[in-house]
Every structure is written in C-alpha cells, then in structure tokens.
Amino acid sequence: MSAPFAMTSIRGLGPLPALIEERAGERALDKVLARVGMSTAMLGRTDLMIPLADMVTLYDAAAQVTGDALIGIEAGQEMRADFGLWTVYARAAETLGECLARLMRGLAYHQSGGRLALRRDGPRARLSYHVALGEARTRAQHAEHTLPALLDTFRLYLGPEWAPDTIEVDYPYEPRLESVSLALGAPIRAAGASPAIVFAVDALEARRIVPVVDSPLGFGEMRAIVRQKPPDTVSGAVEAIVGAMLPHGGADLTMVARRFGLSPRTLQRRLGVEGTVFRERLDAVRVTEAKALLASSVPITEIAFRLGYADGAHFTRAFRRMAGVPPRTYREAVRMQR
C-alpha cells in the first residue's frame, strides 16, 4: 500500500495523550490532536484506524510541545504489553526465531505501511523496522516507542539482563542519543539504514525461559486479529477515515484528502484507479452506520446529524436511495425480526 494510505491502529498511541496532558495540559493535547484533524473524543475508540503518517506526526509533536526528548521511549515503556493480540500470539512461540517470524507476519494486522525485517549477516542478525514516511528525524519518536516492547520480547528468551550489540537509528548523531542509550541499556549507532536491533545470530535458537502467562489464543481471538487488520486498499483507507470522522463533525472530500496529505483531485484520482469515487465510499459508510443506529433507539433526527446530514428529511431521502426503503420502515423491519 502506498505511503499516503498506510494505516495503523489508534492503540499505537498508548499512553501518549495522557503524557502530553500531564506534562503540558489539556489545551496542549487538543492542539497536538488538531494537527491531524483528531479530537479527544476519538481517543476512546480503540477500534479506529488512522493514517500512519498521523501517528508519526503525533509522536513528533508530543516531543515538541512537552519539551521531552524521550517521550516516545517513555510511552513505549508504559505500553510494553499493550500492542494487541498479535503480539500475544508472537510471544507464545517456543523460540526467539519463531517469535520474530510471527511478529514480522503479524505486524500487517496492526498497521499497513510498516515492515519488520530480519537479516542474517554472518555471526550477527539485524531486526529492522521500516516506515517510509517523511524525514527520519520526524519519525524518531514513533520508531523509538516500539523499542521497549521489542527488547522485552527478546528478554523472554534471553533473560532480563540481555542487551543487544547495538541499536541503530536512521538519523544523524545528536546529544539526545546519549539519553536514549541509557534509557534502553544499549549502545546506539546513528545514521543507520533504518531503526534496528543488532544481536548475535545464535540467539535466534534460544528457547523461551519466561513461562507463558496468557492463555493460548482461541479461534475467536484469532478471528478478531484478522478482522482488525488495517485496510489494504485506497477505498478501505478512505472508509476508515470517514467512519472515524463522521461522529465528530462530518467528513467531506477536502477534509478526508487533507488527512492523507493529498489534494481532493489527487484523492479522487487514486479512488478512480479502483473504480470508485469519494461519494460512493461516503455513502457506503453512512448506510452501514445508519443501519446499526436504526437497530437501536437513537431518534432518526439524531442519526441524521451524527451522519452529517442537514436534517431528518435529507437523511430519509439519502437512506431510501442507498437502502431502498425509508429509515422508519427499516427500523420497523428490524424490530419485527427480534
């Protein structure tokens, strides 16, 4: 998937909003979220997918607003075990090599546009994290927030005192890296090809020494991982953003295009490659949300406002066009089926 449409779970923010508010206040958090068109009301929706570029921007803005040059690592330290079910599955592997293989496969169920890669080079191995978005320095805080969890994963197999040979970052040396090194307990090498953990290749054969405390994932949980996979098409990415924005002030072509860093014309052109247009994607989200709300007791006028219509009459005409029946008729049919 091309970089503008790379998506990630909002879970990746972890404690970052709370850290911003704690260090710089509620207004500072509002300003940081506003940079990417988000509001605090969206933070409670753990099912949301947001552009990966927005996630990168939020981590970088957090460091700027709070003046905390290690805020990415601090957020990562607080969310070591909270990256989702795909990491629970990975960490249940018997060997480190299989664990890393599961992480590399499973990342696609947490975000698109990012990639974990393992390369063996003689006696050394290199686990790298690639995100092709913007400048390396802008990506630094976001990349660094992944490191505490990755290091903890290695230590499940290699012991609590284990440290990598080095941790590479993909931006030039700066004094801040001395503090990064201390926080992570490993030497840092600047100006690498990508953020990476470098370690002895023999470690891949290490067996888990920390007992698995989580129950094995059942079929339902594995299905949940698959259902939560980020969209891998432009249409899907647009629908995800529309669904996130509709309850918080509406979503038009210009607003959605801005979230992807594109002009409205470019976004329409990219959708056209998939044989659709923005209006069709907006309608698809609206009718899905409308059906869910009509199955509840929410008044039809309120549903209209939630979905960005001017009034109930506009919603009624649109729903009839999309679903073939008026909303009241649909609601009555749903009630009769119960």
Side-chain angles (χ1 to χ4, degrees), residues 56-294:
V56 170
T57 296
L58 289 170
Y59 269 91
D60 187 54
Q64 296 175 25
V65 168
T66 63
D68 184 349
L70 297 181
I71 199 166
I73 290 175
E74 291 161 8
Q77 287 171 335
E78 291 191 25
M79 62 185 298
R80 285 170 161 142
D82 193 28
F83 275 83
L85 289 174
W86 67 283
T87 57
V88 174
Y89 167 70
R91 290 169 175 171
E94 290 188 7
T95 67
L96 176 61
E98 175 57 24
C99 173
L100 298 184
R102 291 185 181 188
L103 282 177
M104 288 185 286
R105 293 194 301 268
L107 181 61
Y109 295 94
H110 178 72
Q111 68 176 222
S112 59
R115 181 170 64 90
L116 282 170
L118 179 66
R119 190 185 75 195
R120 296 170 174 83
D121 187 10
R124 295 288 174 267
R126 184 174 184 273
L127 180 71
S128 57
Y129 177 51
H130 303 261
V131 174
L133 287 168
E135 297 181 359
R137 186 64 194 82
T138 303
R139 299 193 302 267
Q141 296 291 337
H142 175 257
E144 289 169 10
H145 101 282
T146 67
L147 292 172
L150 283 173
L151 292 174
D152 277 1
T153 299
F154 275 81
R155 290 168 182 149
L156 295 175
Y157 300 85
L158 302 169
E161 304 303 318
W162 176 85
D165 293 352
T166 187
I167 293 175
E168 297 179 359
V169 296
D170 58 347
Y171 48 87
Y173 173 81
E174 54 188 40
R176 184 184 74 91
L177 289 179
E178 302 301 328
S179 297
V180 172
S181 178
L182 287 173
L184 298 175
I188 306 292
R189 186 173 77 85
S194 60
I197 295 173
V198 180
F199 58 99
V201 73
D202 294 346
L204 294 171
E205 305 302 321
R207 303 186 72 82
R208 184 175 172 124
I209 59 176
V210 177
V212 178
V213 295
D214 297 301
S215 301
L217 297 186
F219 179 70
E221 290 170 310
M222 296 299 287
R223 283 183 61 188
I225 293 175
V226 174
R227 285 198 304 268
Q228 293 166 7
K229 185 178 181 181
D232 55 7
T233 63
V234 176
S235 299
V238 168
E239 288 184 15
I241 295 301
V242 169
M245 296 176 69
L246 271 179
H248 307 283
D252 60 26
L253 174 60
T254 300
M255 294 164 65
V256 174
R258 188 180 300 124
R259 290 292 298 275
F260 292 113
L262 302 172
S263 69
R265 179 176 297 180
T266 299
L267 178 57
Q268 285 283 38
R269 185 166 61 249
R270 297 294 294 274
L271 286 168
V273 173
E274 296 180 2
T276 187
V277 294
F278 178 78
R279 176 61 181 272
E280 291 176 348
R281 307 286 36 95
L282 176 61
D283 282 351
V285 175
R286 277 174 158 172
V287 74
T288 298
E289 292 293 322
K291 287 179 177 179
L293 290 169
L294 287 168

